């Protein structure tokens, strides 16, 4: 995971859905029929497994990102309510403040599996 998807534990990756993804992946792997030849796993089987996991990762990430951005916007609005109501608060100031807030939220490690 850390090699293929280095930010998977953060909000840039799977965020709060990381544990569900891992659980689904373990279940998927337990159902896979890995062909063995001379004590080595068949390269074709491993390729198919990796591609399936990568596809599932992207699906989880897309689903999480839509939820994450909606929640982040609500959190931002609540935290900066006074600033947002200020009549002198410009679009530039809003964008700068929101981008800073968003970047901090994206970098947060939600789960650490180390």
């Amino acid at each position: 995971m850390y090699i293929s998807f280095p930010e998977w534990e953060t909000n840039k990756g799977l965020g709060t859905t990381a544990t569900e993804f891992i659980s689904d992946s373990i279940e998927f792997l337990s159902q896979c029929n890995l062909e063995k030849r001379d004590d080595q796993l068949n390269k074709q089987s491993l390729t198919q497994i990796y591609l399936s996991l990568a596809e599932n990762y992207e699906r989880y990430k897309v689903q999480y990102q839509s939820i994450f951005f909606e929640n982040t916007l609500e959190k931002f609005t609540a935290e900066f309510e006074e600033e947002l109501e200020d009549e002198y608060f410009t679009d530039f100031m809003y964008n700068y403040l929101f981008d800073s807030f968003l970047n901090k939220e994206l970098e947060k490690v939600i789960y650490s599996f180390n």
Side-chain angles (χ1 to χ4, degrees):
M1 289 299 296
Y2 295 103
I3 294 170
S4 296
F5 314 107
E7 51 196 29
W8 74 284
E9 294 176 311
T10 69
N11 284 322
K12 283 184 181 179
L14 300 179
T16 58
T17 62
T19 55
E20 185 179 345
F21 172 77
I22 293 297
S23 177
D24 285 353
S25 296
I26 291 170
E27 184 177 329
F28 170 74
L29 289 171
S30 70
Q31 294 174 1
C32 288
N33 182 17
L34 299 176
E35 298 175 18
K36 290 186 177 183
R37 293 187 187 153
D38 300 326
D39 295 331
Q40 293 182 345
L41 295 175
N42 182 322
K43 183 178 178 182
Q44 184 179 4
S45 294
L46 289 176
T47 301
Q48 282 304 114
I49 289 170
Y50 175 79
L51 293 175
S52 294
L53 290 174
E55 184 178 305
N56 200 29
Y57 175 86
E58 287 304 317
R59 184 176 56 82
Y60 267 84
K61 183 176 177 178
V62 167
Q63 288 174 346
Y64 176 70
Q65 292 303 309
S66 64
I67 295 166
F68 166 76
F69 283 114
E70 185 178 312
N71 291 339
T72 300
L73 184 56
E74 287 177 20
K75 192 174 174 182
F76 172 78
T77 303
E79 190 168 321
F80 294 100
E81 184 176 359
E82 288 182 26
E83 289 88 340
L84 297 173
E85 291 177 359
D86 184 345
E87 64 182 279
Y88 298 107
F89 195 68
T90 65
D91 287 344
F92 176 79
M93 291 168 29
Y94 174 89
N95 290 335
Y96 178 78
L97 191 59
F98 182 73
D99 288 346
S100 297
F101 183 81
L102 178 62
N103 287 333
K104 287 177 187 174
E105 291 297 310
L106 285 169
E107 296 298 326
K108 286 183 181 176
V109 173
I110 304 304
Y111 291 106
S112 181
F113 294 91
N114 291 331

